[in-house]
Structures are given as C-alpha cells and as structure tokens.
Amino acid sequence: MRDNNDMPGHLARRFQQIAVAVFHAEVEAAGYDLTPVQYAALSAIGMNQGIDQITLAGLIAYDRTTITGVVDRLVQKGLLVRNPSSRDRRARELRITEEGMRALQGITPAVEAAQRVMLRGLTKEEVEEFMRLLRKAIAAGNELSRAPLKQISAEGTKGS
Amino acid sequence: MRDNNDMPGHLARRFQQIAVAVFHAEVEAAGYDLTPVQYAALSAIGMNQGIDQITLAGLIAYDRTTITGVVDRLVQKGLLVRNPSSRDRRARELRITEEGMRALQGITPAVEAAQRVMLRGLTKEEVEEFMRLLRKAIAAGNELSRAPLKQISAEGTKGS
DNA sequence: CATTTCTTGACAGTATACTGATAATCAGCA
DNA sequence: TGCTGATTATCAGTATACTGTCAAGAAATG
C-alpha cells in the first residue's frame, strides 16, 4: 500500500500548513494581525481599487462565499470600505483605506521574509523550479476547482 | 510590488484547493463519501491498528484538536471504533472496522486517480521533481507548524 | 413592456485547522 | 506516599473553504 507521504495531495496539505504557520509567525512578529488570505485580498484590492467581490474572488482564486467573510473582517479592521456600486446595485465596490495602505506597506517585509522561511530547505535554483512546477500544475488544474483564477481583461481601475 | 502569484504560499494554497476538489470529485464518482483528511486518517489507522489519537496526529501531521472531529466522523460512519486504552486511561485506541477496511480498499483506485489528475499538467519527470522538492521543503519546515510529522519509532502494532 | 435567464452577494450547514484553556490521568521524584 | 509536571483528549472560539440555496437586481429576449 502506498504511504500517505507519497501522495502529492497530502504533501500539498502539509506544505500549506507550514506556509500558513510561517506567515502567521512572521507577521505577528512584525506587529500585524493579518492572515495570508486577508493579505492577498487586501493586496489585490490595493492594486485594483473599486473592484467588486466576484472580480476579487477571480483575481485571487477564492470561492465567492469565502470572500464575504474575508471582506467583513477587513472592513471591521478599518482596512477596507465596502460601498454599493453606482453602476450595478447588486455589486459592492471595494476600496482600500489609508490605514489599509499603510498596513499593506508595513507588512510587506514580513510577508517577504515568510516566503523565504517557508522555502528555507531549498536552494535558489530549487525554489525557481518549485515555483515553476507549482504554476504549471495549477494552470492545468485551474478549472477543476470551484474557485478558479480569472484575470481581468483590461478595464480594472488601476489604483495608486 | 510583488504579485500574489509570485508568492509560494499563495501558490501552495491554490494547488491545495485544486487537490481537494479533484479528490472529492474522484471519490464521489466512485461512490464514496470521504474527505482527503478522513482518508489519510483511515489509511494510517489501518496500517497501525490500536494507536491513540496523538500518535495518529503525529503520523499524518494533523493538529491534535483536529483529530477529535475527524475521528468522530469516521466513527459515526462506522469505519472506525474508538475504545479506552487499557494501558493508559487517558488514551483512546483507534481500530479500523471491517467496513472501514472494505471502504479503504474500494476507494484506493479513486485516490490513485485523483493524484494523477491533480498533476496532469506535469510530465512524469516533473512529477518526480515536484514531489522531491515538496518533501525537501516540508522536511525543513516540519517543526515550524503546530502539527509536525512524527514517525513512530518501532513498536506500532502493525495491522492486517 | 413582460418574461426568462444570469449574476452578485449573502446565508445555513459542514469540514478542516488553529489558539488557548481545561479535566483526567500518568510518571518522576522528594 | 504525596506533589509536581507532562500528556491525552476535549472544548470554546476564530478563520478559511466548500455545498447548496436564496433574494435582489441586471441583461437578454419576445
């Protein structure tokens, strides 16, 4: 019988666990309280001011039902504002606040450090190859998840 | 600013999402209702009859508080039994049932298929390299997670 | 304009994962 | 033996992720 540790899915889960733990540790040490998911959302909104939640979900490959809670918490922390869209009354426009911008900039070194720590076992060349293989595997499987990545074409309101 | 898609942590999350979705799809198509986490636990118990929950957690790198719920659900499905240990009244001995054994065997082809599907974008050589890099990165980061892998020394009651 | 269809956002329910706390028990030691 | 510290399992609380469902609104169509 095949050992669990020969299963790519199992290894993926373990690596993700480590990645999240490292992220938390580095970010907390820097004095911030943001999860990896919240950081990715905040960062994506900062680069695409005014997008709605579905577009955000596509940008970072989150499920649309997950976005609601993530945005809730970011709004509660004062890092985002969520306003009804004027063009489409179903949609909510997401904008990063001044405080959110400061948090994003302040947290960046910790996030960069986390990426290094979680791959500290690999050489520089191995890191490159690892990322390449991850991207390739993800590209081939993108549509198999309920939350596929969806790049915006060419109309996103570019921020700052 | 660095794009989210250049972050290994973000890529890890995405690959894990795909891996879980593929697992669910393949297993459901085969007529079973087991999550990846439940499968790994069931499989580990099948190979180590009578282990307690902490040992199980170490074997598959789960948090000890997560194990409780996973075992609960497997017991509820009739695939496991959880009995007080005679040697240590704090501990619960986990044993796979006949039905659990049948489920484990019946589900194996679907699990194998899932591993192939989630890596369908990679060549055979790339799959090998990907797994090697995953294992290497995980080994270096193992202790950074609250749920590190802990192999049992040499006394586990080998099953079947 | 009226109707059908799609889309956006939200909710209930389930299943990981984690933090931190606690009860019960065991093991080592004065 | 009695005390102290470690260990096993559990629980409360929080945060992803997903299934499935629903209401409100937009878009397409007759």
Side-chain angles (χ1 to χ4, degrees):
Chain A
M1 179 171 294
R2 197 166 165 185
D3 190 87
N4 270 324
N5 294 103
D6 289 332
M7 305 271 194
H10 193 254
L11 295 176
R13 192 189 57 81
R14 288 235 282 140
F15 182 69
Q16 225 259 315
Q17 263 176 1
I18 291 166
V20 171
V22 167
F23 187 98
H24 269 127
E26 294 291 329
V27 165
E28 190 173 308
Y32 290 93
D33 174 32
L34 272 187
T35 66
V37 164
Q38 288 167 15
Y39 169 79
L42 193 62
S43 169
I45 295 166
M47 290 192 284
N48 300 276
Q49 291 273 29
I51 57 173
D52 64 303
Q53 297 183 183
I54 292 286
T55 308
L56 172 61
L59 270 179
I60 51 186
Y62 286 16
D63 192 274
R64 68 184 192 285
T65 61
T66 302
I67 286 284
T68 303
V70 174
V71 168
D72 274 351
R73 288 180 279 276
L74 287 171
V75 168
Q76 196 178 350
K77 288 177 183 176
L79 308 180
L80 281 189
V81 288
R82 168 165 49 182
N83 294 124
S85 165
S86 51
R87 295 173 297 111
D88 185 339
R89 272 182 300 168
R90 291 169 303 181
R92 312 299 186 83
E93 278 183 4
L94 304 175
R95 294 188 176 279
I96 194 170
T97 62
E98 281 296 319
E99 189 184 344
M101 215 43 144
R102 279 196 302 276
L104 203 49
Q105 284 169 9
I107 207 180
T108 297
V111 173
E112 296 285 340
Q115 310 302 313
R116 282 193 302 276
V117 172
M118 72 182 66
L119 290 178
R120 67 180 182 180
L122 305 185
T123 67
K124 198 176 177 62
E125 294 75 29
E126 284 174 332
V127 167
E128 287 308 311
E129 181 66 0
F130 182 59
M131 304 263 292
R132 184 184 77 80
L133 294 173
L134 260 179
R135 283 198 202 89
K136 193 174 177 188
I138 289 167
N142 190 44
E143 296 304 325
L144 302 177
S145 156
R146 173 165 145 169
L149 189 74
K150 285 180 178 148
Q151 301 288 1
I152 47 186
S153 41
E155 59 90 34
T157 316
K158 291 290 284 194
S160 64
Chain B
M1 178 172 293
R2 196 167 167 185
D3 189 87
N4 270 324
N5 294 105
D6 290 333
M7 304 271 193
H10 193 254
L11 296 177
R13 191 189 58 80
R14 288 236 281 139
F15 182 68
Q16 226 258 316
Q17 262 176 2
I18 292 167
V20 171
V22 167
F23 187 99
H24 269 128
E26 294 291 330
V27 164
E28 191 174 307
Y32 290 93
D33 174 33
L34 272 187
T35 66
V37 164
Q38 287 167 14
Y39 170 78
L42 192 62
S43 170
I45 295 166
M47 290 192 283
N48 300 276
Q49 291 273 28
I51 57 174
D52 64 302
Q53 296 185 185
I54 292 286
T55 308
L56 173 61
L59 271 178
I60 50 186
Y62 286 15
D63 192 274
R64 68 185 191 286
T65 61
T66 301
I67 286 285
T68 302
V70 174
V71 169
D72 273 352
R73 287 179 280 276
L74 287 171
V75 168
Q76 197 179 348
K77 289 176 183 177
L79 308 180
L80 280 189
V81 287
R82 170 164 49 182
N83 294 124
S85 165
S86 51
R87 295 174 298 110
D88 186 338
R89 271 182 302 169
R90 292 169 304 182
R92 312 299 186 84
E93 278 183 6
L94 304 175
R95 294 187 175 280
I96 193 169
T97 63
E98 281 297 317
E99 189 183 344
M101 216 41 146
R102 279 196 302 275
L104 202 51
Q105 285 169 9
I107 207 180
T108 298
V111 173
E112 297 284 339
Q115 310 303 312
R116 283 193 302 274
V117 172
M118 71 181 68
L119 291 178
R120 66 181 183 179
L122 305 185
T123 67
K124 197 177 179 61
E125 293 74 30
E126 284 174 333
V127 168
E128 288 306 312
E129 181 66 359
F130 183 58
M131 304 263 292
R132 183 183 78 79
L133 294 173
L134 260 179
R135 284 199 203 90
K136 193 174 176 188
I138 290 167
N142 190 44
E143 296 303 325
L144 300 178
S145 156
R146 172 164 146 170
L149 189 74
K150 284 180 178 147
Q151 302 289 1
I152 45 185
S153 43
E155 58 89 37
T157 315
K158 294 289 285 196
S160 63

